[in-house]
Amino acid sequence: MEVREHEPMSRHTTFGAGGAADWFAIPESEEELVTVLTKCRNAGVPWYIIGNGSNLLVSDNGFHGVIVSTERLCALTVTPGADAKTVYLTCGAGALLPRVAVRALKEGLTGLEFAAGIPGSVGGAAAMNAGAYGGEIKDVLCSLTVLSPEGNVCELETKDLAMGYRTSAVMEQGLLVLKAVFALEKGDPAAIQSRMEELLEKRKEKQPLEYPSAGSTFKRPAGYFAGRLIEDAGLKGLSIGGAQVSEKHAGFVINRGGASASDIFCLCEEVKRRVLERFSVELELEVRLLGRF
Ligand SMILES: Cc1cc2nc3c(=O)[nH]c(=O)nc-3n(C[C@H](O)[C@H](O)[C@H](O)COP(=O)(O)OP(=O)(O)OC[C@H]3O[C@@H](n4cnc5c(N)ncnc54)[C@H](O)[C@@H]3O)c2cc1C
């Protein structure tokens, strides 16, 4: 398996920031993934799994251990269901949602239109229960094959995955997603394509896609929208180093060029502080942090 030494994580995160991983392993199969994780566990070496790094901020000090990437576990398989309507799409953990959504479209399957513009992997999206425009992974997920912290591979149905707003048993129980099965329905390809295009257009119009970011930086606090609170606190454009609260969408912290992970982190902390001071609402990061901050 390919294992790189001192791999800069700025190459593997959509923020384009962060220090190096001591080791960066890229398994080619589920078996290799299980082997590398088992070896790390047995040897007491710290490890972390990533998909597309689109919801991740790695410290400038890097990560002292092994980062395992699922990027090569990206096979897609289509299987007809027992009834005439349902079709199953099985995806390797590293398959990227835009590619999965395009495959669904090609097969004339509806259900994943909301995911076409989410730049994450299936494993990361299942862990986070990613969602957009009224759709969430849990609505279309049938089951996950996971590796448990004890080293057992098992298949879990969606009802057993405690999927909620940007959370799941995958995250809470330290499970590792090896593959996912989506249950989709046959639909009208023209309608599926038009819905995908409409949602992609909305993203282009509203989101600062021209800059590196991790999407919405903060979770939606109950009863509010994070972006609205940040905008109403007058924080659009606030910068620390190369990190900035986007002028286009206040819910996004962007890398305007050369931002360090520390710039991004400190800006997030400042935004939290000012929103709390102004509105007594505590923002919580949606972005996952790795390493020392
Ligand atoms: C421009 C932009 C737009 C975005 N829009 C949205 C949106 O509309 N909705 C939304 O929900 N998110 C959005 N995001 C955030 C992000 O794309 C999603 O959260 C995505 O699901 C993260 O997947 P990933 O593979 O990149 O995960 P990573 O960033 O690699 O990892 C995120 C977390 O998942 C864990 N993880 C990754 N793979 C696995 C695995 N195989 N098994 C177990 N745990 C795993 C990691 O350890 C980490 O804790 C956006 C991001 C960007 C940059």
Side-chain angles (χ1 to χ4, degrees):
M1 147 186 8
E2 185 177 348
V3 181
R4 301 181 192 155
E5 212 178 330
H6 304 308
E7 179 71 1
M9 290 309 292
S10 51
R11 285 191 197 150
H12 300 280
T13 57
T14 54
F15 263 132
D22 284 355
W23 302 95
F24 188 82
I26 319 176
E28 303 273 346
S29 64
E30 279 178 33
E31 292 71 28
E32 281 190 359
L33 178 74
V34 173
T35 304
V36 69
L37 293 171
T38 310
K39 282 193 172 167
C40 288
R41 273 186 190 134
N42 292 346
V45 174
W47 57 269
Y48 194 80
I49 189 159
I50 68 160
N52 199 36
S54 65
N55 209 22
L56 187 64
L57 183 62
V58 182
S59 154
D60 294 317
N61 298 321
F63 180 71
H64 301 300
V66 182
I67 291 192
V68 182
S69 164
T70 60
E71 66 192 64
R72 292 189 187 152
L73 307 182
C74 50
L76 303 181
T77 322
V78 174
T79 327
D83 61 72
K85 248 173 49 182
T86 313
V87 176
Y88 296 104
L89 183 51
T90 303
C91 311
L96 296 182
L97 288 180
R99 192 178 142 239
V100 175
V102 165
R103 177 65 185 269
L105 165 63
K106 278 195 182 138
E107 303 283 342
L109 301 175
T110 182
L112 278 169
E113 292 85 335
F114 77 91
I118 303 179
S121 69
V122 162
M128 306 284 309
N129 185 26
Y133 303 110
E136 279 182 313
I137 289 294
K138 76 171 167 57
D139 304 334
V140 277
L141 187 69
C142 174
S143 67
L144 290 179
T145 302
V146 299
L147 177 70
S148 73
E150 298 75 34
N152 302 316
V153 174
C154 57
E155 195 175 336
L156 295 175
E157 288 178 34
T158 308
K159 67 175 172 49
D160 300 319
L161 287 165
M163 298 184 95
Y165 174 64
R166 302 297 172 266
T167 183
S168 71
V170 172
M171 205 128 84
E172 297 303 320
Q173 296 175 17
L175 305 173
L176 297 181
V177 178
L178 301 177
K179 67 176 167 239
V181 181
F182 293 108
L184 305 174
E185 287 190 2
K186 288 185 183 156
D188 168 21
I192 298 167
Q193 180 162 8
S194 127
R195 178 72 178 149
M196 278 185 190
E197 284 170 0
E198 178 197 339
L199 297 183
L200 288 172
E201 203 43 51
K202 270 194 188 168
R203 279 181 190 270
K204 249 201 253 163
E205 198 186 305
K206 299 255 155 60
Q207 302 181 356
L209 300 181
E210 58 281 23
Y211 290 104
S213 78
S216 298
T217 315
F218 300 96
K219 290 188 183 178
R220 200 175 52 230
Y224 300 92
F225 289 102
R228 172 53 62 86
L229 289 171
I230 297 166
E231 182 171 351
D232 290 349
L235 302 179
K236 265 189 168 178
L238 182 73
S239 299
I240 294 183
Q244 186 185 55
V245 175
S246 165
E247 307 260 13
K248 192 170 175 185
H249 187 318
F252 281 54
V253 166
I254 57 172
N255 181 349
R256 291 271 313 199
S260 63
S262 164
D263 292 340
I264 295 168
F265 178 75
C266 291
L267 182 59
C268 292
E269 289 296 298
E270 185 59 16
V271 167
K272 278 163 75 172
R273 196 184 65 75
R274 293 213 205 170
V275 166
L276 182 64
E277 194 176 83
R278 181 80 188 269
F279 300 112
S280 304
V281 177
E282 217 165 313
L283 291 180
E284 191 191 335
L285 275 181
E286 181 173 319
V287 172
R288 315 281 298 165
L289 300 176
L290 179 62
R292 258 184 309 116
F293 282 92

